[in-house]
Amino acid sequence: MVSFLAWKNLRRSASRTVLLIAGVSIAGALLFNMSMLAEGLETSFEAVLGRLGYEVRVVLRGTLPFEAEALMPAAAQTAVSIAAHPSVAWAAPVLATNIYVLTPHDRATAFALGLKPELAGVVSITHGIPGRGLIINPELAHALQIGPGDVVRLATSVNPQIGTAERTSVATVDALGEYVFDLRSQRTLALPFEELAALLELRQGQASFIVVKLKDGAGPDAVVQWIETTFPALDAFSIPDLVSRVRGQLTYFNHFAAILSAVSVLVAVLLIGAVLTLAVGERLGEAAALRALGLRRRRLVLLVFLEGAVVAVVSAPLALLLGAALSQPLDAILRSSPGLPQDLHFFVLTPQAAIRTVILLLLTATIGGLYPAWVAGRLNIATTLHQEIQ
Amino acid sequence: MQVPRPRLILLAVLVLSLVPTATAGRSPDQPLFEIGLSRRTAERLGLSVGDVIEVSADPSMAQSRRARVTMVWSPPEHPADVARGDLVIRFHLPDLQSLLQQPDTVDRIVVRLLDPTRASWLRDDLNALGRGYDAYTAADLARITSRTFRVITQFHRAIALITLLASGIFLITIMALKFTEMRKEIGALRIVGIAKETIAFTVLGIAAGAAIAGTAVGLALGAVLAWGINAYYQPLFHTHLRFAVITPQALWIVAALAVLLGLAAGAAVSVRLLRQHPLEQVGR
Amino acid sequence: MILMNEPIVQITEATRTYHLDGTAISALRGVTMEVRQEEFISIAGPSGSGKSTLLHLMGGVDLPTTGEVRLFGNVTHRLTDRTLSNLRLLRVGFIFQRFFLLPMLTVEENVLLPMLEAGLQAQRRGERLEDLLSYVGLAHRRRHLPGQLSGGEMQRAAIARALANRPHLLLADEPTGEVDQQTGQQIGRLLQRINGEGVAIVLVTHNPELAALASTRLTMRDGLLS
């Protein structure tokens, strides 16, 4: 009976209920968005790292994990040693640098990766067949109007005095592909590790960093510790390490999400609380009559809470839908920031975010219903009936 | 055209390892470098003017050089650097080139023009030469470096719009409820002959009054929140930059919106109330 | 279990004092009375004499400041809210001057409400609803909302609701206060009929014609019965 009455009470002032649901839905949508934002970047970053196909990244001690400026001496030999560890499936050195790509008519700079065959997973081929030549990304293909089969010249530098390319070699474009960690509008190419090493005139197995793939079931922590102990000049980072380093830089978004979540909850609590308080105030006579007819105090309190809960339950799917819709443009705005990997998202729709939003909305309805429920609960039947008749 | 990703001096310096002179092998014959430390660097490393340290471009401290701290300075703060917490060391250019073993190599060249209005012309001219570098005017650089902040501003505006929508509905609902609660009194006033216009103006007046009072409380709350945000983040990021600022523009927008929304709610409610029969309003 | 000759309401030296802005107001000043099964009592008296307060004590919606009220053998101020509510739900019916029908519910929904709260089975609810609506002559108005009814029809709907769980005691507080004289007479006849079927009635009224229908007529003045 109480749920029937709660439903009827909400339908009684349809426009008020619609406004209430609209307000709670928008506040809930914002709450959902902030829930997505709070962990979205980290989740997305973790997902992108996971797609790279390795678990540990080894860099020269003292350098930053994503910088590739300093060259690690004897990296090829070190990779072989690391690969000998029983938990390691393979270890591969990677070269990363900026080079010039020249066509007869044009010139562009590109981020070049020298990859061993084990790292084929960092690029998804869209056209062509990879071989000993270049795999270029669509941005580079578009900039120079080149594609599979075209021949280009690669240069490590251009003389600023006379504008001529220095240390050049000729390469054929084998394929077009999307790189997992490409920055937005970044031009990227990959070529075999040895080819890039030759172009850079590196003859002692130097590399920018080493990536390590672990055997199934092996934990990264032990391997990271082993690498750092065995090779004191190197730092090793597991994916959780990298994520936790990035987490420190996400303070702004986490705090922003926390503040706006608190504001959304407050708005929803105030809205539900104010509407229910006024609604209870309007219906004191009816409530007293219901009590006189035999409705228990607890049932009357439950009725008020239920009205709030119905609003939350009706608003929750609307909030999730609206939040999901709003997260798209908001994500697009933030993703237009310069220097971000193109697969990185700020708003990631996860079941946890949705569940958290629904729970918070129900909690909001409960908190919002506390005061009106207290008013209903302490209602004196005789006095109220008497006042209503005056 | 884009130059290869510049190796900023800042980043090059970041990879420097610093060790106290007593613990590392050094070359006493070579003259001391003179270096400046940013206040953050000095505080982090516990150094002050006159201290001598050893610097190297190599983590293993190979090819290290001794350097004396001759200056501790506070670089102008930039919002982009707030979260990075970079440690900055300033070298004389030849010293850094020698340390990096890259003589006559720089990351960028800055040019001061006799006539600053011709900056774009010079930029276009230099870029047309196609010598493997890019030229930018100071305005270009300001625009490029502020892109992140433009994005954040755009994001804040989008969020503000959603918040406004939620608060607008909140305000309208509360106003509607408040006046629905007053319907008996309004019905009684109409029965005793008070004109509809007078009642409508009264309702609007009350709505405006409530909106203005609410705005004042809201602004005070906003000011407290802004103060709290700055009080929390400034020490967190070791900066004097302000994270939340109440500008006169924001103040006017908020006040105008709140009052307008209040009035709109009042108007909507008074139309609804005046359509109802006064006897119905008093419950007869 | 109440025996036939036992009173269903027994009030002993009951007082009720309210406090308003620091001033003590004595609504009842030591009332002793009984209501027996099938009895029809009317209580008349000027406004503020304590009639409604006495009715509220009988129904267990209010408790005496001193003295004792026994409702179906139970001392009301010793009962939990749950037990007292159950007593009201199953054994007492209330009729109010302002009807207090729930405006968003139809006549039949209003009448069904106490049955739903009592957990009556659907079939029995349906049968009893039909009986009650026919009994008060509102079968044709069952789907109407209270706002669409006349004052008399609203009071008849309220009577049907009060009878929903077949109470032993019906408490009516100025049931004709909001209706015209003719409708008042109809309601009076309906109450007489209900009493004739074994339900004890305590009626608070200003209306002498209505009061005259009762077998026992009491008058209240300044919080005392005379």
Side-chain angles (χ1 to χ4, degrees), chain A residues 59-125:
Chain A
V59 297
L60 206 55
R61 175 147 295 177
T63 59
L64 299 171
F66 294 105
E67 287 297 328
E69 301 295 337
L71 279 176
M72 188 189 293
Q77 184 54 43
T78 307
V80 171
S81 305
I82 293 173
H85 188 278
S87 296
V88 174
W90 51 257
V94 177
L95 267 172
T97 190
N98 292 291
I99 59 170
Y100 290 90
V101 184
L102 303 102
T103 65
H105 315 290
D106 208 351
R107 179 167 75 193
T109 52
F111 180 60
L113 282 167
L115 301 176
K116 291 282 189 180
E118 291 90 335
L119 272 166
V122 301
V123 54
S124 341
I125 304 297

